Amino acid sequence: MIEKIKALQAEIGAATAANNEELEALRLKYLSKKGAVNALMADFRNVPAENKREVGQAINELKAFATDHLAEIRNRLDEAQAGGERPDLSRDAAPVVTGTRHPLSLVREQIIDIFRRLGFTIAEGPEIEDDWHVFESLNFAADHPARDMQDTFFINRRPDVLLRTHTSSVQTRTMTSQKPPIRIICPGRVYRNEAISARAHCFFHQVEALYVDRHVTFADLRQTLLYFAREMFGPETQIRLRPSYFPFTEPSAEMDISCGLCGGKGCSFCKGTGWVEILGCGMVDPAVLEACGIDSKEYSGFALGMGIERITNLKYLVNDLRLFSENDMRFLAEFAAAR
Ligand code: DAH
C-alpha cells in the first residue's frame, strides 16, 4: 500500500499542464471524488489495523502534496497569462501626494488664533449684501466714491444687492443682533471691481475685529494691536499708528509695523522707511453705534480691519497677489511645512 502511495506521489509530482483544460483534467484524475487519491480510501479498509495509522498519514500527506502541486501549476499558468510578468514586490509604493494648506488659510488661522486668545469669537456674514450693511450703517455719505460702480460689484440696483467690499459689514450685522459686550473677529472674502494685477485683485480676504463694551478706549486698541503684531511677526516687532480717515471710526488710524526684513533700518522692501503698513483701525464712530441701536453714551468700541493677503505677503514674502488664486502646485507646495 505504501508503495502504491509513493508511486502515485511520483506520478503527480511529474504531472504538468500547459493550459487550464489540462489542469482541470489533472484535478479530476487525482483530486476529485472519483480521483486516484480518493480511490486509495477503498483499499484503506483492507489495511491491517496495526498499519492503519501509518497508511492513513501517508494518504493525507499525498492529498496535501497533490493540492499544493496543482496550485503551483495554477499560479504558473496565471503568471504566463499576465504576460509572464511577476509583480516586483521590492518596488517602492506609488507616492501618495497629500495636499497642503493654502497660505491664506494658514495665515487666517494664525490671525484667528491670536485674537481667540484675547477672548474674541468668530462672526460671519454674507458675501452678498445690501447697501445699508456695507455702506450706510457705516457712515458712508450717500455720494461716497466707494459706493460707485468703479469699486462695488452690484448685483441689483434699487433695491441694492451687492458683493461686500469689506468685512466691516459683519460689524453692523453683529451689533444689530447682539447686545454689548461684543468681541468678534470676522474673517471673510470681499470683492472690488479692480483690474487684476500683481497688486490688486477683484476678490481678496479680510479679517475684521470689533470690541464694544463700557469704557473701551484707544489704549485698549493700541495694546491689542501691539499684542497682535508681536504674536504675528515676532517679539521684536514695533508698531506705529498714523492718523487716518475711515467713515466708520473716529479717530481713525493706520498701523505700521517695523520692517521685518531690515529690522527697521530701511531697505528696498520698506522703501527705505523702516516701516510697512498693515491695517486700518479706530474707535467706532458713535453714529455707527447709534445706527445699530447701541447707546453711544453708555458704550464705546474699537474696530480694526486687515487684508489677509497683505499679512501673508509680509510673512511669507509673496509679491504677486495672483499667485493666491492660480492654484499653481509649485507655489502651494512651498507651504507644505508652514503652519
Ligand atoms: N474696511 C476697511 C477697508 O476695507 C478696513 C478697516 C479700516 C476696517 C478701519 C476697520 C477699521 O474696522 O476700523 O479698507
Side-chain angles (χ1 to χ4, degrees), residues 138 140 165-169 171 190 192 204 206-210 245-246 248-249 252-253 279-284 302-306:
L138 290 164
F140 281 80
T165 56
H166 56 181
T167 44
S168 303
S169 54
Q171 283 189 25
V190 301
R192 286 185 199 177
F204 54 101
Q206 290 187 331
V207 174
E208 185 90 10
L210 172 73
Y245 172 78
F246 300 102
F248 38 91
T249 44
S252 305
L279 57 77
C281 59
M283 301 306 290
V284 180
F302 69 68
L304 59 99
M306 66 188 104

Side-chain angles (χ1 to χ4, degrees), residues 171-172 174-180 182 210 212-213 286-300:
Q171 283 189 25
T172 44
T174 307
M175 285 193 281
T176 47
S177 61
Q178 288 176 29
K179 285 190 166 41
I182 292 170
L210 172 73
V212 180
D213 201 351
V288 174
L289 294 175
E290 296 292 337
C292 296
I294 292 175
D295 185 350
S296 63
K297 288 190 197 65
E298 194 177 348
Y299 293 101
S300 57

Side-chain angles (χ1 to χ4, degrees), residues 33-261:
K33 259 206 180 112
K34 291 180 183 154
V37 175
N38 257 359
L40 290 173
M41 297 309 271
D43 296 348
F44 184 64
R45 263 184 251 126
N46 307 324
V47 172
E50 68 267 27
N51 292 341
K52 267 201 156 57
R53 217 184 122 99
E54 189 196 358
V55 173
Q57 206 172 357
I59 294 177
N60 280 341
E61 279 170 16
L62 174 66
K63 200 170 185 173
F65 173 80
T67 308
D68 284 353
H69 185 67
L70 294 196
E72 227 170 82
I73 298 177
R74 152 104 283 141
N75 280 346
R76 237 178 290 134
L77 287 178
D78 284 350
E79 261 170 40
Q81 221 164 22
E85 267 178 47
R86 280 169 162 270
D88 178 1
L89 299 180
S90 67
R91 211 189 74 181
D92 287 345
V96 177
V97 183
T98 52
T100 58
R101 300 194 63 195
H102 193 280
L104 294 178
S105 302
L106 285 170
V107 170
R108 183 190 58 215
E109 291 311 310
Q110 290 167 8
I111 298 170
I112 290 172
D113 206 49
I114 294 169
F115 279 93
R116 192 182 282 139
R117 295 205 285 278
L118 293 173
F120 286 74
T121 53
I122 295 177
E124 282 177 330
E127 292 179 11
I128 299 175
E129 266 290 8
D130 53 48
D131 181 272
W132 193 81
H133 286 97
V134 177
F135 297 124
E136 195 173 328
S137 62
L138 290 164
N139 226 12
F140 281 80
D143 55 357
H144 195 284
R147 296 187 189 208
D148 198 285
M149 280 299 226
Q150 307 244 318
D151 257 317
T152 309
F153 285 116
F154 285 91
I155 293 171
N156 189 35
R157 283 282 207 179
R158 269 184 287 276
D160 281 317
V161 181
L162 47 91
L163 296 179
R164 67 181 177 194
T165 56
H166 56 181
T167 44
S168 303
S169 54
V170 187
Q171 283 189 25
T172 44
R173 287 217 166 254
T174 307
M175 285 193 281
T176 47
S177 61
Q178 288 176 29
K179 285 190 166 41
I182 292 170
R183 211 166 351 177
I184 51 158
I185 174 125
C186 330
R189 181 173 284 185
V190 301
Y191 301 84
R192 286 185 199 177
N193 192 358
E194 304 229 27
I196 296 170
S197 71
R199 318 191 116 253
H201 211 293
C202 58
F203 69 81
F204 54 101
H205 302 81
Q206 290 187 331
V207 174
E208 185 90 10
L210 172 73
Y211 177 33
V212 180
D213 201 351
R214 292 188 178 90
H215 317 299
V216 177
T217 67
F218 202 91
D220 296 320
L221 170 60
R222 193 180 187 288
Q223 190 56 34
T224 303
L225 292 171
L226 183 64
Y227 178 76
F228 168 71
R230 294 196 165 161
E231 289 293 300
M232 194 72 198
F233 296 103
E236 308 300 322
T237 309
Q238 302 293 320
I239 67 168
R240 174 173 90 168
L241 291 170
R242 281 179 292 104
S244 184
Y245 172 78
F246 300 102
F248 38 91
T249 44
E250 180 58 36
S252 305
E254 265 164 296
M255 177 169 100
D256 298 339
I257 57 165
S258 48
C259 177
L261 270 192

